[in-house]
Amino acid sequence: MIKKFLLPTVVMMALISCQFTETMTLNEDGSGRMSISMDMKELMAFGGMMEDTTMVKLDTIIRMKDVLLEKKDSIAALPKEEQERLKKIENFNFHSSMDPEAGTMMFDVFTNFTNIEEANEMMNAFETSGDYLMGMGKDTEVQTDSKSGGIMAVAYSYANGKFMRDAFIKDKERHQMQVDSMKSAEGFMSSMTYKIKYTFPKKIIKSSVEDARYSLDGKTIEFERSFLEYLKDPDVLDLEVELEQ
C-alpha cells in the first residue's frame, strides 16, 4: 500500500523538480545524435521525506533493442499498432544515474539517427517512454496504452542549409485537459526550464530566436524557455536556422 501511494507522489515530485535539455548534433548528411535529458537533482532534497525507499548510487543504460528482444513473445501478442509503436523506439537508449552523496540524479533518452526524419519520432518516444520502462522487469509482460503521450509532437527538417524545429499540438482536447490539470501545480512548475542546444555542421548565419546564445565557432545555438510556457504553447521553442553555404 505504501509503495502504491509513493509511486504517484514520486512521479509528481519528479515532474515539478526537473530541468529538461534537448540536445542535437547534426551532420552534413542529415545524420546525427539526439538526446533529451532530465536533471532531477532538486528531487534528491526530498529523499529524506520518503519512507520505505533507499537511495543508492547507480549508473545504468537500458537498450530498448535488448528489452524488445527479451519481450518478443509478449510483444507478438499486442495489436499491430502497438507493435509498430514499440518498433519505432528500438534504437533508443535510457541512461539513469544517481549519486546521493553528490546530490545528483539524471535521466537521459538518447539515440543516433541516419536522417532527420528519424529524429521526428524522438519526442513521441520520450513522452511514452514511462509506459515501457514500467514493464521492463523480468517477470512482467510488456504493456502499452494507446492513449498515453501523443498530445504534442515535434517535426524537424533539414535541407539546403536550412534547419527547422516545429512543435505542435496533436490533440487539442487532451492538451487543454492537461493545461487545466496543471493549474494547481503552476507555482511549483514555474521554476522548470526546457533548454534547446543544437550543434550544426556549419556556422549559423541566421536564426529565428533573438535571445539565443552561440558557441565561439558559431556552430552551436542554445536557448531556453519556461517548461510551463512550453506545455501551454509549444511554439515558444520553434526554431529556424540558416547555415553558411
Side-chain angles (χ1 to χ4, degrees):
M1 179 63 69
I2 293 177
K3 290 184 178 179
K4 289 182 179 179
F5 173 77
L6 279 174
L7 180 58
T9 302
V10 171
V11 170
M12 174 59 76
M13 287 165 55
L15 287 175
I16 65 177
S17 305
C18 284
Q19 306 301 321
F20 297 86
T21 301
E22 180 181 321
T23 305
M24 180 188 292
T25 300
L26 191 62
N27 302 317
E28 183 68 28
D29 63 358
S31 65
R33 179 184 176 89
M34 188 172 185
S35 72
I36 299 177
S37 61
M38 293 180 287
D39 184 347
M40 297 180 285
K41 61 184 177 184
E42 292 182 22
L43 180 60
M44 298 294 285
F46 292 94
M49 300 171 59
M50 293 185 281
E51 298 180 7
D52 197 35
T53 62
T54 302
M55 290 189 174
V56 295
K57 187 174 182 178
L58 61 87
D59 194 334
T60 308
I61 293 180
I62 299 175
R63 295 174 175 81
M64 281 306 302
K65 185 170 290 188
D66 296 338
V67 174
L68 297 182
L69 180 61
E70 180 185 348
K71 307 284 186 183
K72 63 180 181 180
D73 292 337
S74 58
I75 290 173
L78 294 173
K80 185 177 180 180
E81 181 181 351
E82 299 302 325
Q83 293 185 46
E84 291 176 350
R85 192 172 73 162
L86 286 168
K87 179 71 175 177
K88 289 179 180 179
I89 67 164
E90 69 173 355
N91 292 321
F92 287 82
N93 302 290
F94 299 83
H95 178 213
S96 302
S97 64
M98 181 170 65
D99 188 338
E101 292 185 6
T104 60
M105 182 186 292
M106 293 288 296
F107 181 74
D108 186 36
V109 185
F110 64 95
T111 187
N112 295 318
F113 54 88
T114 58
N115 56 69
I116 199 66
E117 285 74 23
E118 288 184 6
N120 288 325
E121 299 295 336
M122 181 68 181
M123 193 58 65
N124 182 57
F126 174 70
E127 283 190 3
T128 58
S129 62
D131 299 332
Y132 312 127
L133 291 174
M134 291 288 283
M136 285 182 183
K138 274 191 174 182
D139 301 321
T140 60
E141 298 297 310
V142 172
Q143 297 181 7
T144 65
D145 179 0
S146 60
K147 293 184 178 180
S148 65
I151 296 177
M152 297 195 305
V154 179
Y156 305 93
S157 63
Y158 175 60
N160 302 318
K162 294 183 179 181
F163 172 89
M164 183 170 69
R165 180 193 195 276
D166 178 26
F168 57 94
I169 299 169
K170 292 178 63 177
D171 189 324
K172 292 185 178 181
E173 183 178 350
R174 289 175 62 205
H175 177 259
Q176 188 58 53
M177 291 174 60
Q178 182 185 63
V179 171
D180 292 341
S181 68
M182 293 188 304
K183 288 182 178 179
S184 61
E186 285 190 2
F188 295 101
M189 298 176 69
S190 60
S191 63
M192 295 172 61
T193 60
Y194 195 108
K195 180 187 294 184
I196 296 291
K197 185 176 182 180
Y198 292 164
T199 299
F200 298 96
K202 293 184 178 180
K203 185 177 181 180
I204 300 165
I205 60 174
K206 185 192 299 184
S207 85
S208 59
V209 179
E210 294 183 358
D211 61 341
R213 301 178 296 278
Y214 301 90
S215 61
L216 292 176
D217 63 5
K219 294 182 179 181
T220 299
I221 185 172
E222 185 176 334
F223 66 99
E224 63 184 49
R225 297 288 181 263
S226 159
F227 182 62
L228 184 60
E229 184 181 2
Y230 177 54
L231 289 179
K232 292 180 178 180
D233 179 12
D235 289 344
V236 301
L237 282 177
D238 283 356
L239 172 66
E240 291 185 37
V241 165
E242 185 174 340
L243 305 180
E244 194 176 58
Q245 295 298 316

